[in-house]
Amino acid sequence: MTAPEQAPSPAAAPAGPRHGLRIFAGWLVISVVADWAIWFVWGPHLPPGRMSSAAVNQQFDIKVMAVMAAPVMLLVLIYFGYALVVWRQREGDEEDGPPLHGNRRVQGIWVTATTVIVLALAGFGWVELATANGAGAGEGPSPIWKPGGNVLQVQVIAQQWRFTYRYPQFGGFETTELRLPVGQNVEFNVTSLDVIHSFWAYQLGVKADANPGVNNVAFTKPLHLGQVTVRCAELCGLWHGAMFDYGKVMPVPAFQAWARATRAHLAAITAMLPPYATTYDPTVIPNINKAMAKAGITGANGYYYPPQDPTQP
Ligand SMILES: [Cu+2]
């Protein structure tokens, strides 16, 4: 069924006010104010903050998305409000309004505008993934986007219900402490010993799945000193909610000193660990806990922690 070619529209009505222009003008003013407020007032407070390169990029992306979305939402709300007030049925008015269906101008503008917005954002998304070295997300075992230069490798090993961290460039020691130097690119190699987990270092803007038998690589560069909250972001069993710890971004000399001291402190345990690898099979050396207990060594055993109840100290 085709609509009449000369369908009268509110905008074309000879005697009436120019509704389209009114709506457009109101929308334009409110949108400019809203976008200004989103970008300059709300934007700097948007998650995940500005602690790392990945976080800065994510905050920028969220700001762009909000600035794009606000005018679309405002147009819908303003049109809705305008229609409610101006075009509501009045006493004695039994006439139906002009049909929107078949209005080629409205259809053309709508299809064109939404297509341009969606395609532009798709392009923007690709650029943001590539220029930000994967944008802090897990890229799988062979990442296509990686930073050049000096990269600190940190292996994240998840298990029910904690994370441990292995530093292959410092003799491969394993610790429960996540320590990072400021201003240096970091490569997280994320894996799991048992079920699926997810390494989520909130302030760093890093989130990468931790899957058994998989090396999931994610990059970021810490830009500011401070504390990082690490949480498991994948429901992984009874104590999933208790699977968190706090990392730290430190000055480079302090990090170097910490790494050297920890390497020396854990040397005896590191000698018992399986050699550094991108994935581990915890069933291969099932007796390491017994060997450690016999040797009187406690702490990060570099392997599968004994079953534990996080509510107990
Ligand atoms: Cu978990």
Side-chain angles (χ1 to χ4, degrees), residues 161 196-198 232 234 236 240 243:
W161 288 278
I196 54 170
H197 303 269
S198 179
C232 180
E234 186 69 63
C236 59
H240 162 68
M243 188 168 166

Side-chain angles (χ1 to χ4, degrees), residues 23-169:
I23 292 172
F24 175 78
W27 167 80
L28 190 67
V29 171
I30 298 173
S31 291
V32 167
V33 172
D35 274 354
W36 179 88
I38 287 170
W39 192 267
F40 292 105
V41 181
W42 192 30
H45 304 286
L46 282 170
R50 308 184 63 77
M51 196 169 176
S52 76
S53 58
V56 167
N57 281 307
Q58 286 170 23
Q59 191 185 71
F60 174 75
D61 294 349
I62 295 172
K63 274 160 72 178
V64 170
M65 299 292 273
V67 159
M68 299 291 281
V72 176
M73 196 182 77
L74 283 169
L75 181 62
V76 172
L77 292 177
I78 289 168
Y79 185 89
F80 187 60
Y82 190 91
L84 271 179
V85 174
V86 179
W87 293 323
R88 72 179 185 273
Q89 193 192 27
R90 289 183 169 76
E91 195 71 37
D93 179 12
E94 297 300 322
E95 196 190 340
D96 204 3
L100 190 62
H101 181 83
N103 186 321
R104 294 223 173 108
R105 202 159 133 232
V106 170
Q107 285 175 346
I109 292 172
W110 187 258
V111 169
T112 307
T114 51
T115 303
V116 167
I117 290 172
V118 168
L119 291 182
L121 283 177
F124 173 77
W126 279 99
V127 170
E128 287 295 280
L129 264 179
T131 56
N133 301 313
E139 296 185 69
S142 45
I144 50 173
W145 293 302
K146 39 183 150 188
N150 232 353
V151 179
L152 174 75
Q153 279 176 279
V154 179
Q155 183 171 50
V156 179
I157 306 172
Q159 62 178 283
Q160 289 170 320
W161 288 278
R162 68 168 74 202
F163 294 102
T164 57
Y165 307 97
R166 216 172 164 182
Y167 290 77
Q169 290 149 328

Side-chain angles (χ1 to χ4, degrees), residues 273-307:
L273 300 184
Y276 178 80
T278 52
T279 61
Y280 300 99
D281 178 356
T283 62
V284 172
I285 311 174
N287 289 323
I288 190 160
N289 288 322
K290 278 184 205 160
M292 283 181 57
K294 213 171 154 190
I297 301 168
T298 54
N301 65 12
Y303 219 57
Y304 210 48
Y305 272 82

